[in-house]
Amino acid sequence: MSVNPAPRAYQVVLTAIENDLRSGVLTLGDQLPGERALAEQHGISRASVRDAIRILDVMGIVRTSTGSGPNSGAVIISEPSAGISQALRLHVAAKGINVREIVESRILLETWAAQMHPRDTVYAQQVLDRTAVLIMRMDDPQLSRDEFHRIDAEFHVLLASTAGNAVVESMMESLRNSISDYVAASIPDDESWQPIVRTLRRQHKAIHHAFATDQRERAAQLLEEHINWFYSQTR
Amino acid sequence: MSVNPAPRAYQVVLTAIENDLRSGVLTLGDQLPGERALAEQHGISRASVRDAIRILDVMGIVRTSTGSGPNSGAVIISEPSAGISQALRLHVAAKGINVREIVESRILLETWAAQMHPRDTVYAQQVLDRTAVLIMRMDDPQLSRDEFHRIDAEFHVLLASTAGNAVVESMMESLRNSISDYVAASIPDDESWQPIVRTLRRQHKAIHHAFATDQRERAAQLLEEHINWFYSQTR
DNA sequence: GACGTAGTATGGTCAGACCACACTTCGAAA
DNA sequence: TTTCGAAGTGTGGTCTGACCATACTACGTC
């Protein structure tokens, strides 16, 4: 019966980098030292260093690329939704989370964001303009379903982003991503899709109008109906 | 100018396993095939297989251990909070998320959970009993600060779990974990900690009482005040 | 039958190699 | 002198093959 959790080699590098991030030694846009250099610095093998960097990669902390130069190697980005999306997605697959919970959470986050007073009114106005463009693009009858879903997701995330909370924004994006396959699979034929998309367009316009006229309560209510209605169609 | 995002080798295994999870071929408690077997099956090296499994590991999908037998190797668990915690934690370090957003999100999730009618009243009653025990343990003056924080977190997560939403529960746990170091560091000395812990104990008891007497609105309000007050002390 | 030991398969780690790639450098051609 | 292309250099990505500690299994001994 072993009690020790067996310390992993990559943890050394991971902790070191996390500390550097916290203390500000490493900031957005910086390059990490090369894998070979990190391996030597910490006295572990390159394989273990790669474990640590792989984790930072899937978590959306760094982006890695081959080649040399200032844009190569592991560069600090910070895309919280990347890691959270991946986690939620896998746990939905593993049945640790079900679709009801995802939908419930989406409604919670989106209605909250809708009712929040925008943290930045100039940005909020820009969002209104950009979402208007998205609505127009979703009117295109030539649009593929995949593309529609992509723009649809962007529409929702953009509206929620006016609340100015990266956690909520990332969560929304992640929740949407985590079940996008499920959604796509549950409405297989185009015949059943056509009437649905018409309703979605109408709902989006109503939601946008409520936002534009500052009817926050109403926007929240419309969003809740919109999300609930859509998922009721996926069965 | 390369346009291809360079397909990663480990993605093959990751997708295969995700599909098996989705289709039910793999379920909770199952063992994954050995790394050497997976490598041969997919025609890639063991190193790349390990990349995939490492990801499943940090995401909380599997637990790996050495040795042989039914409990060895990679076993499917499903601990959503593991992956999300790690992601949030790193992004807080990388300044992609700030503490205000964490606190705001905590309040959103906890007050929502408090106002939700419990999905399972029997479970809710058990939670009330267990949180009562936690409150008693937090009264122990011998308790270390670390231990207090641990029990405190468990208290909050347990209360929220009555809402019956794994996403919300995982998020709460993750938000709490992601800034626990920050909290610990911001109240360094025991002299300033003593008066704080007294208030926390009082607030916890009031919250528990509101839950026990089914005053959901009041419980939500007390939670909000409790969380806001505590973080106002960490500056 | 009980018990201890050898066997076996697992993940964890390491070393070393080769590749494709992207930038850098520098010399040759205009 | 300027331009441009080829060689050079360092990066992560992948593979191979090896060794280790561990934990269970099976077998042989008592």
Side-chain angles (χ1 to χ4, degrees), chain A residues 144-165:
Chain A
S144 72
R145 269 188 58 193
D146 279 353
E147 194 63 10
F148 184 91
H149 283 313
R150 217 187 49 69
I151 301 177
D152 186 355
E154 196 180 340
F155 172 81
H156 283 271
V157 173
L158 260 179
L159 283 183
S161 71
T162 59
N165 186 311

Side-chain angles (χ1 to χ4, degrees), chain B residues 8-9 45-46 48 66-70:
Chain B
R8 306 289 175 86
S45 73
R46 193 182 151 209
S48 296
T66 62
S68 66

Side-chain angles (χ1 to χ4, degrees), chain A residues 17-76:
Chain A
I17 294 176
E18 188 177 338
N19 288 339
D20 283 352
L21 286 170
R22 216 178 286 279
S23 69
V25 173
L26 288 173
T27 63
L28 220 104
D30 286 358
Q31 271 177 305
L32 254 53
E35 296 181 351
R36 293 161 180 88
L38 284 172
E40 197 175 359
Q41 282 175 32
H42 296 94
I44 60 179
S45 73
R46 194 183 152 210
S48 296
V49 170
R50 285 183 58 76
D51 275 352
I53 293 184
R54 159 89 46 257
I55 291 172
L56 294 173
D57 185 11
V58 299
M59 289 301 185
I61 300 289
V62 304
R63 162 184 61 73
T64 65
S65 46
T66 62
S68 66
N71 260 348
S72 72
V75 177
I76 314 261

